[in-house]
Every structure is written in C-alpha cells, then in structure tokens.
C-alpha cells in the first residue's frame, strides 16, 4: 500500500509535534525521578507507603534524613508527593524562591484545609497575619499585664492554691485551659476570656479542625467540598461563636461609628478584636467570628507545644531550683513585667530545649509548588508537589547538637553567656532550629506565643513543685497523624503548691 507524500509529511510533522510536546514532560519526569524516594517507587508500592504515612511520617522522614542529608528526597501521600529538604544551601534556595512559585500560604491551606475547616474568606485572604505583625507584636509590652494577670488567676483555678498536697492533673487539659484564658484575655479582652461557654468552644475548635483534616486527607482534592458537608463543623462552630462574640462585635462597631461621627477621642479596647474591626476588611459578624476562630485554632499549637515543657519539668525536678532562683531574682529587681520575662534566659532555654526534643509537626516550613521548581543541581519538583523541612530529624542531628538525644535544659542559655549570642533565644530563626519555620513566612505569632509560654513557665516554677507519677516514663508519649504530632491526651503529672 502506497502512502501519499502529503500523508507521509503529515505523519512526520505529527511525530515531531508529539516529540516537542512530550519531551519537556518526559525530561521533567526524569528529573523528578532523580530525587530519591523513600519507600517503593512503583505505583502500587508508593500508594501502600502513602497509606502507612497516614499514621505518621516521622520514622520515614528520619530514615530519609539519615540516608540523604542535604539532598532532596521525597515521600508519598495519598494524592501527592512531599519533597523534604535540609541544609543551609537547600533551605536558602527555597527561601529565595518567589511566592508565585513556592507558596507557604497555599501549602498551609492544603495541609489544614482552612476553606473547609475555618472559612473560605479566611483561607483566601490571611490579612490577619499583617495585624499580628503590626499590632500584636508591637503592643506586647502593653498586653503583658493582662496576660500575666490571667495566667496567675487561671493557674490558681486549674492547679489549685489551697494546700500543699500532691495533685494529679491531665497535662494537655490543664495547659489548654490556662493558655486559652491568657490568649483570649490579650486577644479579645474581658469578660469573654472567662465565659465558660466561649472557653469550651475555644477548646473544641482545634479538635474539630484536626478531625476534619484527617477525614479530608482520605479523599482527592476535587471531592473535598462534598466530603466537607458531612465532616466539617465550620458552620456550627461559627454560629456558636456568634452567640458569644456577636453582641461584643455589634457594640464595638456602634461605638466606632459614634466616635467617627462625633470626631471625639474616646477610649477603645486595645486588642485583636478591635484591630480587626478597625481594619474594616470584614464587617459581618460571620466573617469576623471566623477570623477570630482562626486565632483560636492558632493558639492550639501554643498549648500543645507547652505540654512537653511541663512534662520535662516533672521528669527533671532537679532543674526546678535554678529556674526558681532566676525567676525570683529577676522579679525582685523588675517585678512581673515583660522586661523581666525577657531577662529570664534559663526559662527561655528550658522552653527551647523542650521544643527541640518535642514539636507538634514532623515537617515544617511547607511550600506548595505553583510553578516547576528547579534546585541548583537540576533536580526538578513538579507543580502541585509540597516542599517541607524535617523538624525532628534536624533537631536530633548529632552534627548540629552535641548529645542530641539528651535533654539539656540550659544548652542555649550557656551559649548566650559564653558567646553573648542573642540568636540562641527561642524566637530566633535558623536552619538548625525550626520550631517556628524558616524564612519570611515563619510563624508571625511566635513572639506572642513565646511571651505566654515564658510567663506561664515562670509562674509555675515560682509556685509549684512537680514530679511524675510512679513508673512513668521520663520521655513523654505522643501520637502522630500524617505530618502532625500531638502529646498523649492521657499524660498526667503531679503538682503541689509551694506554701
């Protein structure tokens, strides 16, 4: 059978066109395959690995870090890949990438599904970050008296103050109650921060969010809107929130309108709720309440990450006395002030070392690849994948930290004394300490969270003795779900008031 010259030419053109179209795809695929894979590389094998990773990725991430330190490697999730990077060189390459290519915002939305767990507008426009940076961080000194007062009051109510008997407390429950009170006092003021119904909602929201995330992770992205209708508590929690905070929003909006009309200076609350209202981006009770519930959810990390601190204090009571002496000395000189808290270097170090060995995530610094990203060694991460940093693996690296698996509470305060290095404080960012992420998208609320944790720890060591129950492990148990980690909710410690 003869083929006409025109058909032959058309066939040649088709082959060339197909080659031109597929060559970049094949090349990109080969370059992505150049990134080592943890687990099976076959389709079925990688899917099985992804199923196992639903129960936690810390072990496989540690294996990858041990094999491929300073080299990208990838682990599968059910419907995507996570490329794990470490080392100054790779972290700098990620840090320098524009947001249009590597997006922290989109990665967080993918991980926590804020559109379905908090609210669509919260997910689309995180303008509250700017309020945290420009208002909360600048007003910490003014906010401190309220934080300090609420912590002191909540401690006596939660841990007791009447006698010096040893009392058993469930660590996560006690910590969440105190930190919820303190953060609510600073963010939303009195009397809301002491309203039992509101506080119950504040404790429920983080649990609802994480439960919804775990369910949505089982399904591909395009089904999330349907699944969310059955598993998300967003609407119910928003309605409950409006019951408590709606009247306060209306009153403040009314007061603000009168103030503008009369053009007379009046006293206004100096808290996050007022800054939201003054910002004016959102005006409805529904929108403002969801924005507030986002802040409520964020405080969950402050509570969860403090539980290992409390446990370490109970597991190592020999450190109570030096911590107590530092607190008493500084408070005697400066009183209970933010300036005093800033001078408590041993308190800061104890917190930082607890965070180093604890942590609420096995991976941090998430970035979603919006455009193919090429590392300097020509390895390519395709659009849609996630890039992340291995928090626990880095924090246990023996080349970075001497006796890396040993709890050394004054590791960082010694460095501040010996080298006069303020970079050793908890809020400082580096490629070696990743609790708050890295780069320009590091946690904007870390100064606020650290102030609460330092103040709480200072009060605890000055007021209480702690110890573990008989036969309790010196290392706290934790649970994993995907990249997330949480303290064992049954963990108990013993405390008694110093009289």
């Amino acid at each position: 059978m003869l083929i006409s010259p025109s058909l032959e030419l058309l066939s040649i053109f088709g082959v060339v066109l197909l080659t031109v179209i597929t060559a970049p795809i094949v090349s990109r695929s080969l370059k992505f395959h150049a990134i080592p894979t943890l687990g099976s590389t076959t389709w079925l094998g990688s899917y099985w690995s992804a199923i196992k990773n639903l129960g936690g990725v810390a072990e496989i991430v540690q294996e990858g870090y041990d094999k491929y330190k300073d080299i990208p490697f990838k682990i599968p999730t059910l419907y995507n890949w996570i490329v794990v990077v470490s080392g100054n060189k790779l972290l700098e390459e990620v840090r320098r990438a524009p947001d249009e290519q590597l997006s922290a915002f989109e990665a967080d939305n993918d991980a926590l599904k804020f559109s379905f767990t908090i609210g669509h507008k919260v997910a689309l426009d995180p303008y509250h970050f700017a309020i945290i940076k420009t208002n909360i961080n600048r007003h910490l000194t003014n906010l401190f008296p309220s934080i300090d007062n609420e912590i002191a009051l909540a401690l006596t109510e939660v841990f007791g103050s009447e006698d010096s008997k040893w009392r058993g407390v469930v660590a996560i429950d006690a910590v969440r109650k105190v930190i919820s009170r303190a953060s609510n006092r600073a963010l939303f003021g009195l009397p809301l921060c002491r309203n039992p119904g509101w506080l119950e909602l504040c404790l429920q929201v983080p649990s609802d969010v994480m439960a919804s995330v775990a369910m949505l992770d089982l399904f591909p992205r395009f089904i999330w809107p349907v699944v969310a209708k059955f598993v998300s508590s967003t609407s119910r929690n928003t309605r409950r929130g409006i019951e408590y905070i709606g009247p306060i929003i209306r009153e403040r909006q009314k007061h603000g309108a009168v103030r503008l009309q009369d053009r007379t200076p009046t006293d206004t609350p100096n808290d996050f709720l007022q800054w939201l209202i003054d910002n004016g981006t959102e005006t409805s009770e529904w929108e403002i309440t969801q924005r507030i519930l986002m802040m409520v959810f964020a405080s969950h990390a402050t509570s969860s990450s403090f539980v290992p601190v409390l446990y370490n204090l109970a597991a190592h009571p020999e450190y109570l006395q030096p911590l107590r002496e530092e607190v008493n000395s500084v408070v005697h000189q400066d009183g209970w002030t933010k300036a005093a808290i800033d001078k408590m270097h041993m308190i800061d170090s104890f917190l930082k070392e607890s965070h180093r060995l604890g942590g609420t995530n096995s991976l941090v610094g998430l970035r979603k690849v919006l455009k193919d990203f090429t590392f300097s060694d020509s390895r390519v991460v395709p659009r849609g994948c996630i890039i992340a940093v291995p928090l626990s693996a880095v924090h246990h690296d023996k080349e970075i930290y001497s006796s890396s698996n040993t709890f050394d509470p004054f590791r960082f305060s010694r460095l501040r004394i010996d080298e006069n290095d303020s970079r050793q404080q908890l809020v400082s960012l580096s490629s070696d300490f990743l609790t708050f992420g890295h780069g320009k998208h590091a946690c904007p609320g870390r100064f606020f969270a650290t102030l609460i944790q330092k103040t709480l720890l200072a009060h605890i060591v000055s007021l209480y003795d702690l110890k573990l129950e008989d036969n309790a492990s010196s290392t706290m148990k934790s649970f994993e779900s995907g990249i997330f980690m949480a303290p064992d909710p049954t963990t108990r410690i013993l405390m008694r008031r110093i009289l």
Side-chain angles (χ1 to χ4, degrees):
M1 180 178 177
L2 296 176
I3 300 176
S4 67
S6 59
L7 185 58
E8 184 177 1
L9 184 62
L10 185 61
S11 299
I12 293 172
F13 176 76
V15 171
V16 172
L17 182 61
L18 183 62
T19 302
V20 170
I21 293 174
T22 60
I25 298 174
V26 172
S27 175
R28 187 184 73 168
S29 178
L30 290 173
K31 290 178 180 178
F32 186 52
H33 284 305
I35 298 177
T37 303
L38 264 292
S40 176
T41 57
T42 66
W43 179 85
L44 186 60
S46 65
Y47 196 75
W48 176 243
S49 295
I51 292 174
K52 292 192 292 184
N53 289 342
L54 289 172
V57 301
E59 185 176 342
I60 195 171
V61 169
Q62 185 65 57
E63 179 186 346
Y65 187 82
D66 293 340
K67 288 183 178 179
Y68 305 112
K69 181 181 175 182
D70 298 337
I71 297 174
F73 63 89
K74 60 183 184 289
I75 61 174
T77 63
L78 283 181
Y79 307 103
N80 204 352
W81 288 92
I82 299 177
V83 175
V84 182
V85 299
S86 62
N88 289 328
K89 184 174 182 296
L90 293 179
L91 289 182
E92 181 63 15
E93 291 181 25
V94 171
R95 188 190 67 80
R96 292 174 59 185
D99 293 342
E100 294 75 20
Q101 186 174 27
L102 300 184
S103 173
F105 171 61
E106 293 294 341
D108 288 342
N109 278 336
D110 274 13
L112 293 163
K113 285 92 175 157
F114 287 133
S115 288
F116 309 104
T117 57
I118 297 291
H120 288 290
K121 287 198 172 183
V122 175
L124 292 174
D125 181 11
Y127 74 88
H128 54 278
F129 285 167
I131 295 178
I132 294 171
K133 292 178 180 178
T134 59
N135 292 86
I136 292 182
N137 291 345
R138 292 179 183 178
H139 289 84
L140 289 179
T141 299
N142 295 331
L143 292 173
F144 178 79
S146 296
I147 293 172
D148 180 65
N149 174 261
E150 204 62 33
I151 285 176
L153 182 61
L155 274 177
T156 60
E157 295 178 8
V158 174
F159 293 130
S161 62
E162 296 179 357
D163 56 52
S164 58
K165 295 180 181 179
W166 287 103
R167 299 175 183 273
V169 297
V170 178
I172 185 62
D173 290 346
V175 167
R176 289 179 69 190
K177 288 176 181 177
V178 176
I179 288 183
S180 180
R181 285 269 298 268
S183 58
N184 268 276
R185 175 72 179 272
L187 296 176
F188 316 124
L190 289 167
L192 186 66
C193 69
R194 297 176 188 170
N195 185 301
W198 171 255
L199 291 174
E200 180 184 354
L201 176 62
C202 290
L203 298 180
Q204 186 62 42
V205 165
S207 299
D208 288 346
V209 169
M210 297 311 298
S212 297
V213 167
M215 290 299 298
L216 290 169
D217 273 339
L218 300 176
F219 299 90
R221 185 186 186 92
F222 71 90
I223 300 181
W224 288 354
V226 176
V227 177
K229 293 181 183 297
F230 299 94
V231 303
S232 175
S233 304
T234 298
S235 295
R236 181 178 72 247
N237 287 339
T238 303
R239 286 193 294 270
R240 285 185 62 195
I242 290 175
E243 292 178 15
Y244 298 106
I245 206 164
I248 301 173
I249 293 172
R250 292 192 295 271
E251 178 63 27
R252 292 198 186 187
Q253 287 176 328
K254 179 182 177 180
H255 184 76
V258 171
R259 185 176 73 246
L260 288 175
Q261 183 177 359
D262 295 345
R263 296 183 179 182
T264 56
T266 58
D267 292 334
T268 57
N270 193 32
D271 57 30
F272 181 79
L273 173 57
Q274 188 61 46
W275 298 325
L276 271 183
I277 294 172
D278 291 344
N279 179 275
T281 300
E282 295 169 326
T283 57
S284 74
E285 293 174 23
W286 187 272
E287 293 171 341
I288 294 175
T289 299
Q290 288 192 333
R291 193 70 56 170
I292 287 169
L293 293 181
M294 180 65 182
M295 296 297 292
V296 167
F297 173 74
S299 69
H300 166 70
T302 307
S303 299
S304 294
S305 62
F306 191 81
V307 175
V309 179
L310 197 64
Y311 196 89
N312 286 332
L313 200 59
H316 303 279
E318 66 271 21
Y319 297 123
L320 272 167
Q321 190 57 35
L323 289 170
R324 191 171 291 152
E325 289 174 358
E326 178 185 64
V327 172
N328 290 341
S329 174
V330 173
V331 170
H332 178 74
Q333 179 178 347
D334 297 314
W336 284 100
T337 61
K338 182 179 180 298
I341 297 297
D342 291 341
K343 293 179 180 179
M344 296 179 187
H345 296 175
M346 294 171 70
I347 288 286
D348 188 278
S349 182
F350 195 99
L351 280 165
K352 187 171 182 178
E353 179 73 349
S354 296
H355 285 308
R356 184 183 72 82
L357 292 175
T360 57
N361 294 49
S362 52
L363 294 171
V364 295
L366 274 59
R367 303 288 188 271
K368 184 172 183 177
V369 182
L370 303 184
K371 300 177 183 177
D372 289 2
F373 180 75
T374 304
F375 288 104
S376 57
D377 63 0
S378 299
R379 300 175 199 258
V380 175
V381 184
R383 179 173 60 88
C385 292
I386 299 294
I387 294 176
V389 185
L391 181 144
S392 181
V394 170
H395 287 184
H396 288 79
D397 191 327
K398 295 179 181 179
E399 295 181 5
I400 298 175
Y401 297 102
S402 61
S403 303
S404 60
N405 293 321
T406 301
F407 179 68
D408 180 2
F410 306 132
R411 178 191 302 271
F412 300 103
S413 57
R414 286 197 303 270
L415 290 173
R416 292 181 73 170
I417 294 173
D418 297 342
E419 303 176 16
N420 193 28
D421 189 356
S422 62
R423 293 174 300 175
Q424 301 301 328
Q425 60 185 326
L426 176 56
V427 295
S428 297
L429 304 175
S430 76
S431 59
D432 296 339
F433 185 78
L434 300 161
T435 292
F436 297 113
H438 67 98
K440 61 184 177 181
H441 294 295
C443 174
R446 66 186 185 276
F447 299 96
F448 178 66
T450 295
L451 180 61
I452 287 179
Q453 289 196 347
K454 290 179 69 174
T455 306
L456 176 54
L457 181 57
H459 275 286
I460 288 175
V461 300
S462 65
L463 294 173
Y464 297 92
D465 286 325
L466 296 88
K467 67 179 182 179
L468 297 179
E469 294 182 321
D470 293 340
N471 302 319
S473 170
S474 61
T475 304
M476 189 189 73
K477 295 180 181 179
S478 62
F479 289 122
E480 286 189 79
S481 176
I483 69 171
F484 303 108
M485 305 176 73
D488 183 344
T490 65
T491 297
R492 291 171 59 86
I493 61 170
L494 298 175
M495 304 181 69
R496 70 176 179 185
R497 180 69 181 251
I498 302 171
L499 297 179

